Amino acid sequence: MEDFSLSIRVWPDVRPSGDELPLLISRINEQRGPFKNVTEGSLKAEIRSFEPGDTPITKHGSEKEDSKTGQDDIAAKKEELLKARAEIGKHVAQAFQDVHLALDFISLLLTKVSPVQANISLSDHVKQHVPSGVLGADKISAPYFSPSDTASNLNQITSGWKLQGLNSAADALLQSASRLENEIKKEARYWDQILQVSEEKLTISKLPRERHSLCVRYGFSESTQEFKDRGTAALRLEEDGNVLFDQGITASSPRAVRIRIEENGQEIGASEIPLVLRDNTLTSSLIYQASNSLFEEELFYELVREARGLTSQGIRIRDGAVVLSIPPKLVVIDLVDLPLKPSTSRSGCSELPLSSLAEAIIIALRILLAHAHTLNLQARSVPPPPLSERKITRPSYALLRPVLTYLNYFRARLSLKRFLSALLSPFAAAGLETSLDASIASTDLSSHNTKDRFLAYAEDDCIAPTDVVQSFLEPLTLEVLVSLPPNLKVRIKAQTQYYPHALGTSYSVSISSFHSSRNSSPSAPGTLAQLSQETPSFSTLEDLSAFMCHLAGLALTEVILNYSASRQAVNGLQGSWDTDESAPGVEGWRALVGGGPIGELEKRYKRKGKWKKLGVKVDVNKAGKGAIRVSWGWLASENTDGKSRQVGEVEWIGNAGGADSEKRTFKEVIQEAGRFELGSIAERAATSI
């Protein structure tokens, strides 16, 4: 095998060296075109057109082009021959390898019979890696079958194949029947769940982009476009026959809007958050949960959108939450995921003092968003406005504004009642009768009139829900009737307007017709008779408080004048300016001659040059405590500049004033202030001047 050689040189070409006829014909066709265009006359004209100055390229161009084309053909043939030679060499090497493998196999097989001779032809590689005698061969005789046995075997084989075919067909039919039964059960379970959903008045239709699939619409048709598109979910058939509630790529965990009320960093109220459903099967509760979650997301989106335009009203967006400032409290509104199980930190939300207010706020926000959807439906029912180049922007819904108005009204009402209670409390300590009636008229949701009106709306089927909600968006009013001595009736009306008119509370005061005991004109400025003819209005509670304190002081001066007038009527001294020194102290008080500060009285005795001055003041401090102060002193003469030497002062303090409050009644103090006796050293010193 080592002396074997094979030549793979190219076989010599024995063809003549001249150009072949087909090659010449092809060249003529390329240069001259078809032979029908070549004539003797055209060739002669071409020869005559050649001139002696023509270059060799012009005369012999075709020959050089022919030689160049021939050289290209030779190079191409040479390249093809080299490729063919390489391919032949590869096949020869493969054949050589196969022959060596066959020789090694035969030699290894013969090592078991004659190892010496077999090792001569065995390759060194096999000798090193394969032991001798590992392969062997035996002759096996073919079995013999008689013709009868062959026929019997063929019959058995035929029967076996037929039986196997019948068994396979039976198994296939049983599997098909079982599969069909499972499919029927799955379809029955699927359509039963679809029927349950349809019985809940939910809209079921074909999926818009998949006509062979069903979908349920759980969104709201009057929502904005970004939430309307998310209100559809496919109802797909799962492997176990249940309905898969497929919300698509926009699916998110169920969420809800939460209301928290904080004061001084402490949570004093929070709304309840429902638990998330763990059932994977399609039920109406699962669909309603998705619908509620979508509604809550739209609600929070609209709240944030509205809050951006109400920053001037104390509304802020902080850490993904809307914060309403109602001093000293904060109302925090945020969007949270529904919990899987009750949280220990949220289990006591219902026990917080203002949890009911938080629940009322979240219910009001949901009702207002549903009301906005209804208004959108009504707006689509009317003809649209004319087309214009201006882009119509959708205004934000009025959700926070009614809630903020009601909270401001609630705070103003509570502050007003606290002020009036503090104002009237020292009157009771002074033995004067007063009354406060705050249940005259009110339009807020807590009043009995409003509850009765709501029940009337609920019983009347002809009233639309929109009208019911709109009736509660009217201005909030509260009327309070205050009775002051001696016979003064003061009616205070507080009204809170809705945005955009105003978010504050305005107050108006009306005084019933009052007949003064003074001898002054009814239209004298600053008197109760003159104030009873007006209806002053105030924009803040501070202004109202100052006016009511002033009015209470005037009422007390009228009480003193009534004491004096009634006493003089008994003694027959009406119209007399001078008072006898031995007369009771309640007699002789009158308004300052020539006018003077409101709430101050004077008294002149028969002894020449003896005058007394009395001042009454009502005040409510910042701590919410009311007080009545009565001070008196001596004047030197009638021509005094109005200054007096104070010789006595008492004070009644309401709201459990304690030891600092005067224990005597108002009439007893006035009687002591009007006595002429110089009982104290201070009074003696004042009269001796």
Side-chain angles (χ1 to χ4, degrees), residues 280-492:
N280 295 327
T281 59
L282 180 66
T283 57
S284 59
S285 301
L286 185 63
I287 298 177
Y288 286 137
Q289 176 180 268
S291 177
N292 294 338
S293 177
L294 186 62
F295 184 85
E296 296 288 303
E297 291 183 25
E298 182 184 5
L299 174 61
F300 188 73
Y301 170 81
E302 294 296 338
L303 290 176
V304 173
R305 187 167 178 263
E306 183 184 11
R308 293 194 183 103
L310 296 177
T311 55
S312 61
Q313 305 300 330
I315 299 179
R316 299 290 184 269
I317 300 176
R318 183 182 65 191
D319 298 333
V322 179
V323 181
L324 281 68
S325 178
I326 310 293
K329 299 177 180 60
L330 293 178
V331 179
V332 183
I333 307 174
D334 56 355
L335 185 66
V336 296
D337 295 335
L338 298 185
L340 295 176
K341 57 182 180 179
S343 175
T344 56
S345 61
R346 309 297 302 175
S347 58
C349 289
S350 58
E351 301 177 358
L352 296 176
L354 293 184
S355 293
S356 58
L357 178 59
E359 288 290 339
I361 291 175
I362 187 60
I363 292 174
L365 291 176
R366 291 166 181 165
I367 292 176
L368 290 173
L369 180 58
H371 178 64
H373 288 173
T374 306
L375 295 181
N376 290 342
L377 179 60
Q378 294 179 356
R380 290 198 301 113
S381 303
V382 300
L387 297 177
S388 64
E389 297 181 355
R390 294 181 57 187
K391 184 179 179 181
I392 301 176
T393 59
R394 180 179 65 86
S396 59
Y397 296 149
L399 305 177
L400 290 174
R401 283 163 281 183
V403 173
L404 187 61
T405 302
Y406 186 85
L407 293 177
N408 287 330
Y409 164 79
F410 183 79
R411 182 184 61 174
R413 185 185 68 175
L414 184 61
S415 301
L416 178 60
K417 290 184 177 180
R418 286 178 178 176
F419 164 73
L420 293 178
S421 299
L423 178 66
L424 299 181
S425 59
F427 283 81
L432 300 173
E433 293 184 2
T434 59
S435 64
L436 174 63
D437 188 1
S439 60
I440 299 177
S442 178
T443 59
D444 60 90
L445 299 179
S446 61
S447 65
H448 296 287
N449 297 332
T450 305
K451 293 178 181 178
D452 296 340
R453 184 176 59 175
F454 181 77
L455 293 177
Y457 285 153
E459 295 175 357
D460 192 352
D461 298 334
C462 299
I463 300 179
T466 307
D467 299 334
V468 177
V469 177
Q470 196 67 33
S471 65
F472 293 113
L473 298 181
E474 298 174 355
L476 301 173
T477 59
L478 173 68
E479 291 189 12
V480 179
L481 181 62
V482 181
S483 299
L484 295 175
N487 56 354
L488 187 64
K489 303 292 184 181
V490 182
R491 186 181 298 268
I492 303 174

Side-chain angles (χ1 to χ4, degrees), residues 214-236:
L214 295 178
C215 68
V216 59
R217 300 183 184 275
Y218 60 89
F220 303 90
S221 58
E222 302 306 324
S223 300
T224 54
Q225 192 64 36
E226 53 266 26
F227 292 98
K228 185 189 299 183
D229 297 338
R230 293 175 52 189
T232 303
L235 303 178
R236 305 191 186 278

